[in-house]
Amino acid sequence: MTVPMVVRVPDGLLASVPAEVRGTGRDDVRLMVSRGTRVSHHAFRDLAGQLRAGDVLVVNTSQTMPAAVDGTVEGRPVVVHFSTRGPDGRWAVELRTPTASGSTERRTGDRAGAVVALPGGERLVLDEALSPDRLWWARVSAADVPGLLHRHGRPIRYGYTERDQPLAAYQTVFALPAPGGLGSAEMPSAARPFTVELIAELVRRGVQFAPVTLHTGVASAEAHEPPYPERFEVPGATARLVNAAKAGGGRVVAVGTTGVRALESAAGADGVVRAAAGWTDLVVTPERGVRVVDGLLTGLHEPEASHLLMLEAIAGREALAAAYDQALSRLYLWHEFGDVHLILPDENPHRVHCYSNAW
């Protein structure tokens, strides 16, 4: 497998608060646009000008859960990050150590059989390691774990953020309730800057929206592991819309890597998307490539993260390196509250590289 590109991101470029705290609204972020190695810079509010009638934006409707819950192990405080409910009713969880700043740090040394006392008299028992020294399958005494989270939980956050934010700050405009109260442990953040006003403008210009659902698990800030299986659904209406757009010359642009993973999981080797639901363990790499997605709207990803392999599969390493060089030199902000990157096909590969000074 291709080794992920290495990017060194200064701490000062890690977005610590939401855009509406830094500026005027959720959409007050920057938009970097890549077409091959050509990079231009815009305001996110200008997204409609980068797309065209007949394009389809594939959006993830998963809600973000308040997935961080305080607990204790043998009297010592821990924070449990609830990730994914497995088909057997167990939950994938990560135990982390709380810090003085109100965030958490990585914890090691837990063993199968360890008992975590949770609020409301509930408890969690570590059952089976899911990844080395990080994720566990665990049994929870509560019959309604999503209910437990909504009563006692808060959104997962990491050390680069300044403080806790309300759950609403971690919901996108596309989020919808799911059966059983399930959702994403961490926000499908590429869609965060969208507003109702921008969606209306895109629709007026002939851009269509196709919903999928993929409930994201926890992605520890310190461990660049490939994603493990996650629940997804691609409805029949979305499959038909995407296939029609492809047949008519429209571009299919996923909003977030979760959209790519869901849509590509429902695509056959022939590139045709079919309705699908269940679990996906797909990891999109340059070797595997993409069958359906033409472009991607995404945040700026962690150095060496497996997500960078997906971006490379869509854009190519040379193009991705050019974009990230520009992002660093122009002081773009990283992570879920940061700026965004639109990757589109290079339809004029022989043009001279040009860089906008809009930002």
Side-chain angles (χ1 to χ4, degrees):
M1 180 182 288
T2 303
V3 176
M5 187 176 72
V6 177
V7 183
R8 303 298 178 198
V9 183
D11 288 345
L13 297 187
L14 306 180
S16 61
V17 295
E20 58 270 29
V21 176
R22 301 191 304 268
T24 59
R26 281 183 173 231
D27 58 353
D28 193 9
V29 298
R30 291 185 288 176
L31 173 68
M32 179 172 64
V33 180
S34 296
R35 293 177 174 86
T37 56
R38 296 182 297 117
V39 183
S40 59
H41 304 276
H42 312 268
F44 183 75
R45 297 184 183 100
D46 299 330
L47 175 64
Q50 305 302 315
L51 300 172
R52 62 194 186 204
D55 287 345
V56 173
L57 290 176
V58 178
V59 297
N60 187 359
T61 63
S62 179
Q63 283 190 332
T64 306
M65 299 186 298
V69 177
D70 293 326
T72 58
V73 175
E74 297 180 346
R76 295 188 298 274
V78 297
V79 177
V80 182
H81 287 180
F82 284 81
S83 181
T84 303
R85 188 179 72 188
D88 60 359
R90 295 184 300 175
W91 280 77
V93 302
E94 179 180 14
L95 269 56
R96 295 177 65 87
T97 299
T99 65
S101 68
S103 181
T104 62
E105 61 189 9
R106 195 170 181 184
R107 171 188 170 95
T108 60
D110 290 306
R111 297 287 184 268
V115 178
V116 182
L118 298 174
E122 304 292 352
R123 67 181 211 156
L124 174 153
V125 180
L126 299 185
D127 195 8
E128 177 187 358
L130 180 55
S131 67
D133 266 337
R134 189 170 83 87
L135 290 170
W136 289 84
W137 284 117
R139 300 190 181 278
V140 187
S141 62
D144 176 16
V145 173
L148 172 72
L149 301 184
H150 282 279
R151 288 191 301 276
H152 301 290
R154 60 187 179 276
I156 288 174
R157 76 174 180 96
Y158 295 110
Y160 53 81
T161 53
E162 186 176 295
R163 58 184 180 272
D164 284 345
Q165 299 291 338
L167 182 61
Y170 289 86
Q171 303 293 9
T172 75
V173 71
F174 302 108
L176 295 172
L182 296 179
S184 289
E186 297 183 9
M187 174 176 54
S189 56
R192 190 182 190 279
F194 279 87
T195 62
V196 171
E197 293 78 13
L198 178 58
I199 293 168
E201 181 183 358
L202 287 162
V203 170
R204 282 196 301 269
R205 294 191 181 209
V207 176
Q208 301 180 83
F209 288 83
V212 299
T213 301
L214 187 138
H215 297 316
T216 67
V218 297
S220 173
E222 306 89 358
H224 307 298
E225 303 163 349
Y228 50 89
E230 294 168 320
R231 292 178 184 269
F232 83 105
E233 180 181 5
V234 176
T238 288
R240 291 189 293 272
L241 178 57
V242 167
N243 293 333
K246 298 287 284 187
R251 299 174 298 186
V252 175
V253 179
V255 177
T257 58
T258 59
V260 177
R261 197 179 194 206
L263 198 61
E264 292 288 326
S265 296
D270 57 0
V272 175
V273 179
R274 298 169 177 86
W279 293 85
T280 178
D281 59 1
L282 176 65
V283 179
V284 177
T285 65
E287 290 85 0
R288 190 268 187 189
V290 288
R291 297 169 178 172
V292 182
V293 171
D294 300 302
L296 172 63
L297 180 70
T298 181
L300 294 160
H301 288 284
E302 273 287 331
E304 303 178 32
S306 62
H307 287 328
L308 289 180
L309 291 176
M310 179 187 289
L311 271 61
E312 188 177 333
I314 297 169
R317 176 163 287 212
E318 183 182 5
L320 190 60
Y324 272 56
D325 284 346
Q326 285 281 302
L328 290 168
S329 66
R330 290 177 177 260
L331 305 181
Y332 273 68
L333 295 180
W334 256 249
H335 290 304
E336 66 268 27
F337 296 140
D339 298 313
V340 287
H341 180 198
L342 176 62
I343 300 170
L344 292 173
D346 186 5
E347 295 170 345
N348 297 285
H350 302 299
R351 286 177 58 183
V352 177
H353 300 183
C354 58
Y355 302 99
S356 164
N357 292 314
W359 277 80

